[in-house]
Amino acid sequence: MNVSDTACASLLKSILCAKCDQFSSELFKAESGLRTVPVLCNSTVSVNSSQSTSTGNDYCGKVWDTCQNVSMWNSPFAPSLKGGAGLPVNSTATKIAELWKSKADFCKAFGGSSEDESVCFDGEPVKLNNNKALDAPKGLCVEKIGNGSYLNMVAHPDRSNRVFLSNQKGQIWLATVPEQGSGGMLDINEFKTFLDISDEVLFDTELGLMGMAFHPSFTQNGRFFVSYNCDKVSSPRCSGRCSCNSNADCDPSKLHPDNGAQPCRYHSVIAEYTINKTGLEPSMATSAHPSEVRRIFTMGLPFTGHHAGQILFGPTDGYLYFMMGDGGSRGDPYNFAQNKKSLLGKIMRFNIDDLPTAKGIADRGLWGNYSIPSDNPYSDDKELEPEIWAMGFRNPWRCSFDFERPSYFLCTDVGQEIFEEVNIVTKGGNYGWRVYEGNSLYHPLQSPGGNTSANSINPIFPVMGYSHNDVNKNEGSASITGGCFYRSKSDPCMYGRYLYADLFAGGLWAGNETPENSGNFTSTRIPFSCANDSPMQCNTVEGSPLPALGYIFSFGEDNRKDLFILASSGLYRVVRPSRCNYACSKEDLSVLQNPSPKPSSSSLGSRLGGIYNGFVFSFICTFLLLHS
C-alpha cells in the first residue's frame, strides 16, 4: 500500500477498534438503530457553539480527507451498511468518494455531535457521559468464598481461573475460583499442598512465609520464588551475613537481644523452586519439588520485627522486587532506612535470570545468586548499594503494580505512632522514614546509629493514608494493609480507585486520582457489607453491621481482575454493589434481572448501539489488521 493507504488504515483501526468505556451499555440512542462504525465528530455545529467543543475537531471530515480515494473492499462506510441514507450500492465501487456524492453527505450519514445527545468519536477513547465525574462508590460489597486464612494470593500465570494461596506457616495451595454469581465456593484441598516448606519456615507474629512470585515465563520453565524467614538455631541451612555490619555502621555485638533472640538469629530468605518433573506442561503441574533449586538471597535481621518480605515481578522489566522493612525496634534506632549501605528499609530489585558465578558474587559483595540490573539507581548514585531501588521505608506492607498503568507502583508503609501511608514508588525515591513519618518530622527516642537531617534528603511524601486517630486512639492498633487499583468490571463505581485497608479491619479506603495520571489523590473511607446471597455466611461484628473479617492481611487479584480480601476469617471477593443494596448508576442491573438473555436483532442495536457487537467488530478489526 502507498503512504496514504497506510495512513487511512491506521485511522480506520483507531475508529473501528476504538477503546470504549467498558461500563457503557448504550453509547448511542436506542432509536438510532444498528451502526457499523462509531458516530464521528463533525462540524455540523458552529465551532463557536456553546453546545459542543468536540465538533470543532471535524473528525468525520478528517476521515473523508484521508480515505476518500483509498480503495477498500467490504468498506465499513458503504451506504448499504447505513441503511437508506446515501447512494444505492455500487458493487464495483471501492472508494468512499465513489460511494458518497460529497463530504457533506458522508458526514450526514456517519457524523454527529454532542448537541444531538450522541457520543461522537474524535480519536480519543469513547466514553459515556464523558464530561461527568465517576460516581463515588456508596460502599464495597463482598461475598465469602473460603474459610482459610491466607497471607498471599497470586493468579496462575496460565490465565485460567486458578490461583495460588499461601499461609504464614509455609504452605502453598493451588485453588480454583468459582465464577462470580455462580454461588460456588473456593475449590481447594487443604490436605493437598502445592508446596510445603513449613519445616524450613520460622512462623511467628511477624515471621513466616511472607511472599511468593511466579516467573513471567512460568508456563514454559516452571520457576517460582518464595520469600520466608528462618531460624539459624533450628535450621542449619539458615545462614547468611548479618545486616548489622561495618558497612552499615553497625556492630552486632552492641545490639541487645530482642524478644529473647540474639541479633541476626533470624534471616530473610528468597529461594527458588520448580514444579515436579511430571513430563506435563508447567501449567498442568499440581505440585512442586520440595527442595529448593537455589538460594537467591539471605540476610540476617538485627531485630524480630519489620521484615516486610513481599516479592513481585515487574510487569514490564521482568525483574524481581523485594520489599524489606527497617529491621525492627522502635523508631529505627540505627537509622537503617536512611543508610545507603544498608538493605534494611529498602525496596530492592534483582535480575534472577542472569545468574553470576561464585567469583562474581564475591567480587560484588552480593547476598546471593542474582545479578544487578544495569539501570538500578546505583548507576546514578554511587553511594547506594546496587540492589536498592527505593529507600526510606519503615515496613512496606503490600505493594502492587497497576494492571492498566504499570508505571504506577504503589506501596503502603506501616507507621510508627501517627500516620499510615500510601506511596507511589519510583526509581531512586527516598520516602522519608525515619526523618519523617508521613509528612511530619519524626524524633526518635534514641539514635545510637546517628541521625539524618531533614535538609540533607529530598523526601517523597505519601499520596494517601490515614492517622491512627482515624481508626483507634490506642497505640499499636493501626497498621495499614496495601491493596491495588480496582480493575474488575464487577463494581463499575469502584473502577480505577486504589483500595487499601487497616489490618484490624477497622476501615477500608478508596483513593481516587484527579485528574488521571496527576498523582493527586483524595482518599475516602467507605462502608463495606457482605452480600445476603454470599456462598458462605459472613459473621458480623457485635454491635455493628460490618462483616467480621478479623484481621485484613492482604489483597489479591485473579485473572479476571476480581479483587479479593485475604483476612483471618476467610477469603472474600468484591462483587456487584447491588448485592448489598449499594446504589451505582453505572451498574447494569439488567444482567441481574435476566442473567442469560438471548437478544433479538432489534434489541442488540438498542442495548449495544450496534457497533460494539463483538463478532462484527472483531471481524472488521481483523480485516483492517490484515490489509494494512
Side-chain angles (χ1 to χ4, degrees):
M1 298 180 74
N2 59 36
V3 175
S4 62
D5 288 350
T6 303
C8 177
S10 177
L11 187 64
L12 293 185
K13 285 180 204 174
S14 71
I15 298 168
L16 298 174
C17 307
K19 179 181 178 183
C20 309
D21 182 344
Q22 59 269 54
F23 305 114
S24 299
S25 59
E26 287 192 34
L27 290 175
F28 306 98
K29 295 182 295 182
E31 63 269 23
S32 65
L34 182 68
R35 286 183 182 271
T36 56
V37 294
V39 176
L40 305 177
C41 297
N42 63 23
S43 292
T44 58
V45 178
S46 169
V47 175
N48 295 325
S49 170
S50 61
Q51 299 182 58
S52 176
T53 56
S54 61
T55 53
N57 294 328
D58 194 11
Y59 201 77
C60 186
K62 181 178 180 181
V63 173
W64 174 274
D65 293 340
T66 306
C67 299
Q68 61 174 313
N69 292 314
V70 175
S71 293
M72 282 184 278
W73 290 267
N74 298 322
S75 170
F77 296 109
S80 59
L81 296 179
K82 185 64 182 69
L87 299 174
V89 177
N90 183 343
S91 59
T92 62
T94 62
K95 300 176 182 180
I96 295 177
E98 295 172 341
L99 294 168
W100 298 92
K101 291 181 178 179
S102 65
K103 181 192 292 189
D105 287 341
F106 175 75
C107 287
K108 181 178 180 181
F110 291 101
S113 69
S114 59
E115 79 164 356
D116 62 9
E117 298 181 357
S118 64
V119 177
C120 60
F121 180 66
D122 62 356
E124 298 297 323
V126 178
K127 294 183 178 180
L128 189 64
N129 298 327
N130 197 35
N131 295 324
K132 295 183 180 179
L134 288 175
D135 286 354
K138 303 299 187 294
L140 194 72
C141 186
V142 300
E143 65 175 359
K144 185 176 182 180
I145 63 169
N147 278 324
S149 178
Y150 310 107
L151 193 61
N152 297 281
M153 176 179 180
V154 178
H156 199 297
D158 69 354
R159 313 303 299 171
S160 69
N161 61 340
R162 296 181 296 166
V163 296
F164 292 98
L165 293 159
S166 67
N167 65 10
Q168 203 169 337
K169 294 179 180 178
Q171 298 167 305
I172 301 175
W173 292 270
L174 181 58
T176 301
V177 177
E179 289 282 348
Q180 190 170 148
S182 68
M185 295 180 288
L186 184 72
D187 184 3
I188 184 171
N189 184 349
E190 294 281 352
F191 299 101
K192 183 181 180 183
T193 57
F194 181 78
L195 177 69
D196 187 345
I197 56 171
S198 53
D199 57 342
E200 291 283 337
V201 173
L202 173 63
F203 171 50
D204 205 337
T205 305
E206 292 194 58
L207 300 159
L209 194 162
M210 310 309 286
M212 59 178 174
F214 291 78
H215 194 280
S217 300
F218 173 81
T219 56
Q220 288 80 45
N221 59 32
R223 300 172 66 193
F224 67 100
F225 302 81
V226 179
S227 164
Y228 65 90
N229 301 117
C230 61
D231 181 355
K232 72 177 183 181
V233 172
S234 59
S235 175
R237 290 177 52 80
C238 186
S239 176
R241 280 185 289 158
C242 184
S243 55
C244 172
N245 53 41
S246 57
N247 287 343
D249 298 322
C250 177
D251 183 354
S253 67
K254 295 182 179 180
L255 298 183
H256 297 293
D258 185 33
N259 293 328
Q262 292 294 324
C264 291
R265 172 179 170 177
Y266 303 145
H267 287 64
S268 275
V269 170
I270 302 175
E272 179 179 343
Y273 293 85
T274 188
I275 60 166
N276 268 328
K277 302 297 183 182
T278 60
L280 299 174
E281 294 293 326
S283 60
M284 301 297 292
T286 57
S287 64
H289 197 280
S291 299
E292 67 180 60
V293 175
R294 63 178 58 85
R295 187 65 59 89
I296 299 295
F297 180 91
T298 308
M299 184 174 72
L301 303 165
F303 306 109
T304 59
H306 306 176
H307 308 138
Q310 184 187 14
I311 50 177
L312 289 171
F313 277 101
T316 58
D317 58 27
Y319 294 134
L320 187 69
Y321 291 74
F322 180 36
M323 279 47 86
M324 173 56 64
D326 65 12
S329 195
R330 182 170 181 171
D332 188 12
Y334 284 85
N335 201 25
F336 290 128
Q338 286 298 321
N339 190 329
K340 294 182 178 182
K341 295 301 179 183
S342 171
L343 298 185
L344 296 168
K346 310 297 191 299
I347 291 176
M348 292 169 264
R349 183 175 180 249
F350 307 132
N351 182 341
I352 49 77
D353 289 324
D354 184 12
L355 299 179
T357 62
K359 184 177 184 303
I361 294 173
D363 290 345
R364 293 298 304 271
L366 304 181
W367 297 76
N369 289 290
Y370 56 87
S371 60
I372 304 295
S374 60
D375 61 340
N376 267 15
Y378 81 98
S379 59
D380 302 317
D381 185 348
K382 301 303 180 184
E383 294 183 6
L384 280 171
E385 286 297 285
E387 294 88 348
I388 296 172
W389 178 254
M391 63 185 293
F393 298 94
R394 182 175 179 269
N395 195 26
W397 189 252
R398 304 295 112 169
C399 302
S400 64
F401 290 92
D402 184 14
F403 170 68
E404 290 195 356
R405 299 172 300 172
S407 62
Y408 269 57
F409 181 29
L410 267 65
C411 290
T412 59
D413 198 18
V414 179
Q416 178 71 61
E417 296 152 358
I418 302 173
F419 194 76
E420 306 294 308
E421 60 188 71
V422 183
N423 299 288
I424 298 179
V425 177
T426 57
K427 173 183 175 180
N430 188 331
Y431 293 85
W433 176 253
R434 72 175 185 176
V435 179
Y436 290 90
E437 180 183 1
N439 295 340
S440 303
L441 286 169
Y442 179 77
H443 304 286
L445 297 178
Q446 53 180 331
S447 53
N451 291 305
T452 299
S453 64
N455 59 12
S456 68
I457 66 172
N458 185 23
I460 300 174
F461 291 123
V463 295
M464 289 177 282
Y466 56 93
S467 70
H468 288 203
N469 288 339
D470 290 337
V471 291
N472 199 313
K473 296 184 183 298
N474 298 322
E475 184 179 336
S477 61
S479 180
I480 197 168
T481 297
C484 50
F485 283 96
Y486 186 80
R487 295 299 183 187
S488 170
K489 298 180 183 179
S490 300
D491 187 343
C493 289
M494 199 64 68
Y495 189 86
R497 287 172 163 83
Y498 179 81
L499 285 172
Y500 61 101
D502 187 74
L503 169 70
F504 298 91
L508 278 168
W509 288 263
N512 186 35
E513 185 186 24
T514 307
E516 190 176 12
N517 300 318
S518 67
N520 296 318
F521 286 83
T522 55
S523 187
T524 305
R525 190 168 176 176
I526 55 173
F528 55 100
S529 303
C530 189
N532 293 328
D533 58 351
S534 174
M536 304 180 73
Q537 183 177 359
C538 299
N539 296 324
T540 57
V541 178
E542 185 176 354
S544 169
L546 294 178
L549 303 184
Y551 298 104
I552 298 179
F553 295 135
S554 188
F555 289 80
E557 289 180 292
D558 64 6
N559 283 316
R560 301 184 189 96
K561 294 305 168 188
D562 277 336
L563 186 69
F564 296 79
I565 298 174
L566 283 61
S568 58
S569 63
L571 183 65
Y572 300 80
R573 172 167 54 187
V574 177
V575 296
R576 288 178 170 272
S578 57
R579 290 178 61 184
C580 292
N581 296 321
Y582 290 131
C584 172
S585 63
K586 298 191 75 172
E587 182 181 1
D588 185 1
L589 297 178
S590 65
V591 176
L592 299 180
Q593 297 165 358
N594 190 5
S596 303
K598 186 176 181 180
S600 64
S601 58
S602 59
S603 67
L604 182 62
S606 63
R607 290 191 301 107
L608 298 178
I611 168 184
Y612 295 103
N613 177 283
F615 174 79
V616 173
F617 257 55
S618 62
F619 175 82
I620 296 175
C621 291
T622 302
F623 172 83
L624 289 171
L625 290 170
L626 292 175
H627 293 81
S628 61

